[in-house]
Amino acid sequence: MILPIDPANKLSFKRCIKDGDLVIVYERHDTMKAVQVSEDGVLQNRFGAFKHSEWIGKPFGSKVLSNKGSFVYLLAPTAELWTLVLSHRTQILYIADISFVVMYLEIVPGCLVLESGTGSGSLTTSLARAVAPTGHVYTFDFHEQRAASAREDFEKTGLSNLVTVGVRDIQGEGFPDEFCGRADSVFLDLPQPWLVIPSAGKMLKPDGILCSFSPCIEQVRRSCDALKSHFTDIRTFEVLLRTYEVRQKILESCPVNEEDSNKRPPRKRRQGSAEGSNGNECSSSPTVVIKPSGEARGHTGYLTFARLKCFV
């Protein structure tokens, strides 16, 4: 489970792993996988064989050994880690966009949230955590098999009490009338979101908030045009995340003779080089090197937010 659903059976990341639990197996920073623990299960990877029976009774965060003496870590299945390991049935939203969406939609426990489309369920998982324990997320996808796979994932992660997955062409039919005036927030991830904006406006409570995710600026323009009639405070954002590598490195440098100082700048030399045999000793000192990560993500999409006007 990702969330505490039943107050009498809370999920504590300090408790011990039990048979049937979902754990995130951390092999290295770029290799993790979700595993359902079973008494007779075995995880096989490049580090060897890991028996699930040896995991049971250990707390989340434990380091466990394989038959070869290598190790992995058993992590608690948070919404953030689930986003990194889930099956990609569609392009997904990542943590930077997800956190921005949850904040700007003003989602708190008890909210009713409508989402279309479900896709791989990356955002849905975080929406469910935000509305727990008394709120609910109703998410829709036009693709029946994709919706069925999402339901299975929510069962696996213990979110089925907080999420209802429906099969419906929201872009063509709009949201079901049963949600009229009940939704605190609406999220759209559709090719033509402007077609759904009138329906979304009917679903929202007065002062409710809508968010539309679009990869292309032309989609944003058409959506903003459609929003102007019944929405206010229309804003569009692009969230760009840049990570940095920070590490310590030993740099060696050699002094330069005064008579040569006007001819060339000081140079960094390797210890033991032929040039360093002129009597001047090279010195080394630890230096912190900071550089942007080569794996930094670029553009994902545009997030357009708008607030429903309150007509008196």
Side-chain angles (χ1 to χ4, degrees), residues 75-96:
L75 305 182
T78 64
E80 290 79 11
L81 289 178
W82 181 249
T83 291
L84 299 177
V85 301
L86 58 77
S87 300
H88 288 203
R89 296 177 287 273
T90 60
Q91 182 63 37
I92 71 168
L93 267 68
Y94 287 96
I95 294 170

Side-chain angles (χ1 to χ4, degrees), residues 280-298:
N280 294 327
E281 294 185 359
C282 296
S283 61
S284 61
S285 60
T287 303
V288 176
V289 178
I290 303 172
K291 67 174 185 177
S293 171
E295 299 178 0
R297 294 185 181 276

Side-chain angles (χ1 to χ4, degrees), residues 14-270:
K14 294 182 180 179
R15 72 163 173 78
C16 295
I17 296 169
K18 299 182 297 186
D19 185 20
D21 277 350
L22 179 72
V23 301
I24 306 297
V25 178
Y26 179 100
E27 297 179 5
R28 44 175 287 171
H29 76 280
D30 59 352
T31 308
M32 290 180 282
K33 56 172 67 83
V35 176
Q36 199 92 31
V37 178
S38 62
E39 184 70 43
D40 56 353
V42 178
L43 170 67
Q44 297 273 1
N45 62 17
R46 56 182 173 165
F47 300 115
F50 297 85
K51 294 182 179 179
H52 291 194
S53 58
E54 296 177 359
W55 301 357
I56 296 173
K58 294 184 180 295
F60 284 108
S62 294
K63 177 181 177 180
V64 293
L65 301 178
S66 71
N67 59 335
K68 295 181 179 179
S70 297
F71 63 89
V72 296
Y73 291 99
L74 306 177
L75 305 182
T78 64
E80 290 79 11
L81 289 178
W82 181 249
T83 291
L84 299 177
V85 301
L86 58 77
S87 300
H88 288 203
R89 296 177 287 273
T90 60
Q91 182 63 37
I92 71 168
L93 267 68
Y94 287 96
I95 294 170
D97 286 325
I98 290 173
S99 57
F100 204 82
V101 167
V102 172
M103 176 69 74
Y104 268 80
L105 283 181
E106 301 177 2
I107 298 174
V108 295
C111 280
L112 188 153
V113 181
L114 300 180
E115 178 194 22
S116 182
T118 310
S120 300
S122 172
L123 174 64
T124 317
T125 300
S126 290
L127 294 177
R129 182 177 63 178
V131 304
T134 56
H136 205 86
V137 179
Y138 294 89
T139 181
F140 300 90
D141 203 293
F142 75 94
H143 193 282
E144 193 166 345
Q145 183 54 53
R146 206 151 56 206
S149 298
R151 281 193 205 98
E152 292 176 6
D153 282 350
F154 298 139
E155 287 282 350
K156 185 189 303 181
T157 54
L159 298 179
S160 54
N161 287 352
L162 293 169
V163 180
T164 298
V165 183
V167 179
R168 186 179 176 93
D169 178 13
I170 297 296
Q171 189 166 281
E173 305 174 48
F175 288 99
D177 291 338
E178 63 186 278
F179 299 110
C180 225
R182 295 176 52 200
D184 296 282
S185 307
V186 173
F187 180 83
L188 304 176
D189 185 359
L190 300 168
Q192 297 175 296
W194 54 90
L195 298 178
V196 188
I197 286 171
S199 173
K202 294 176 182 177
M203 302 301 116
L204 286 168
K205 296 177 181 178
D207 207 38
I209 307 173
L210 174 145
C211 175
S212 176
F213 176 88
S214 297
C216 302
I217 199 66
E218 177 60 22
Q219 293 170 304
V220 173
R221 185 190 66 79
R222 296 193 65 173
S223 296
C224 288
D225 286 344
L227 287 165
K228 289 176 182 176
S229 57
H230 292 91
F231 288 81
T232 186
D233 194 20
I234 302 169
R235 290 182 283 176
T236 298
F237 301 90
E238 180 185 29
V239 182
L240 299 177
L241 181 66
R242 192 178 192 186
T243 57
Y244 280 79
E245 297 175 5
V246 181
R247 55 192 175 89
Q248 192 176 71
K249 186 176 181 180
I250 303 298
L251 298 179
E252 298 175 351
S253 60
C254 294
V256 178
N257 293 332
E258 291 184 7
E259 57 192 39
D260 296 335
S261 62
N262 293 328
K263 299 178 182 178
R264 58 178 180 172
R267 292 185 300 172
K268 293 173 185 173
R269 294 179 180 163
R270 293 182 181 177

